[in-house]
Amino acid sequence: MAARAQHLGHDVTCLARGTQPPRPGVRFVGADRDRDDGLSAVSNRTWDAVIDLTSQPVHARRAVRDVRARHRVYVSSSSVYAQSNVPDRSESAPIHRPLASGVMTSLEDYGAAKAACEQIYADAGESSTIVRPALIGGFGDQSGRSGYYPWRFANPTGADVLVPDGAFPTALVDVDDLSEWLLLCASRSDRGIFNVAGRTTDLAGVFATCRVIVGSPARVRSVADDALLAQGVAPWAGQRSLPLWVPDPDMRFVATLNSDLARSRGFESRPLRETLAAALRYEHQRAGARPAGLTDDEEVELRALLDAA
């Protein structure tokens, strides 16, 4: 978002702890939002717009209390929705009960914590946009979820690439499309709650697109859920995983949303191939172990076990 805002000619200030280098050209304010006075360095003026990504309710509460702004954009999450087995969830779908505590101590409370942050911004009674993105991918995806399959098809360990159930639905939203629309909401002072997701497809479409992007000769080899779980392959993300796949019927539509309302307000999503190609470019420059997917050795070992079964 900082890069896109700069490109559009905005003056940008970023406040964070500073565990990574700030983007060149922005004003950087190093601060710890866990401190009650963590926002004091930016509380002495009225900002045209403030964009907040926190998942800690106490951070949201202090932002509303201490930072004056003509408009606020809060980046929430599709994880606020209480049910993930319903397709095309709209903004009116039930959400989790907001976390009672000001501090999220477990990722199991992530959805409830985001819901609590939403409530804080809504209850402030100020001009604000609340955005619920689905799965975000593209260049800079540190999680490796959107980059694993294009990278694997570009670097096969055999005649095929091992993949999960191709019928599983997904909807990647490109980080550049999301950030552009968030800034549009900020500049127009849009009010309301909006889902933002890419066009729904299935994993088979993801795999086919990856093959085309890299011109891979490797075949797609779909492996049954039970076989993957029996061999210790994790779903969704993380090490020794096959990303974007969840073998739980209650989570069937976790990565998809109805984004018609945002599209009616100017949100546009690029073709999936462009998002996957951008994710691959990021994977090519990644240093160190990939945080998601199977390593070369793990895929070779799994293929051998499946062939011997």
Side-chain angles (χ1 to χ4, degrees), residues 162-222:
L162 304 183
V163 300
D165 174 18
F168 191 84
T170 192
L172 283 170
V173 57
D174 193 286
V175 64
D176 288 337
D177 295 335
L178 174 61
S179 60
E180 182 170 350
W181 192 72
L182 289 169
L183 289 165
L184 182 62
C185 290
S187 65
R188 297 186 310 202
S189 296
D190 284 350
R191 296 181 181 228
I193 299 174
F194 300 89
N195 289 339
V196 180
R199 299 289 185 184
T200 299
T201 181
D202 54 26
L203 289 184
V206 172
F207 307 147
T209 303
C210 291
R211 291 189 72 204
V212 171
I213 289 171
V214 303
S216 177
R219 300 187 304 274
V220 175
R221 181 175 178 180
S222 182

Side-chain angles (χ1 to χ4, degrees), residues 15-165:
L15 182 144
R17 287 167 294 180
T19 54
Q20 298 183 47
R23 178 174 173 79
V26 305
R27 177 191 175 215
F28 176 70
V29 178
D32 183 354
R33 295 184 67 181
D34 288 340
R35 293 175 54 93
D36 187 62
D37 62 351
L39 298 174
S40 59
V42 293
S43 63
N44 59 348
R45 58 174 288 184
T46 298
W47 300 87
D48 292 327
V50 172
I51 300 175
D52 191 1
L53 290 81
T54 190
S55 55
Q56 296 289 10
V58 67
H59 292 175
R61 190 172 298 115
R62 290 169 183 160
V64 170
R65 182 193 70 186
D66 296 340
V67 182
R68 298 190 304 277
R70 296 182 178 88
H71 187 73
R72 303 176 190 269
V73 176
Y74 177 61
V75 184
S76 184
S77 168
S78 60
S79 295
V80 299
Y81 289 111
Q83 295 175 306
S84 297
N85 60 350
V86 179
D88 298 324
R89 291 164 294 172
S90 71
E91 291 83 357
S92 62
I95 67 173
H96 288 290
R97 183 187 299 275
L99 187 69
S101 169
V103 178
M104 176 184 66
T105 58
S106 168
L107 282 177
E108 293 182 357
D109 293 328
Y110 179 72
K114 281 289 195 180
C117 293
E118 285 190 10
Q119 184 178 55
I120 290 165
Y121 274 99
D123 289 350
E126 300 178 351
S127 178
S128 66
T129 311
I130 294 173
V131 181
R132 297 169 176 168
L135 185 64
I136 305 170
F139 190 85
D141 183 1
Q142 296 182 19
S143 76
R145 290 177 298 187
S146 65
Y148 172 70
Y149 293 113
W151 177 83
R152 175 51 74 201
F153 277 99
N155 299 274
T157 63
D160 53 35
V161 170
L162 304 183
V163 300
D165 174 18

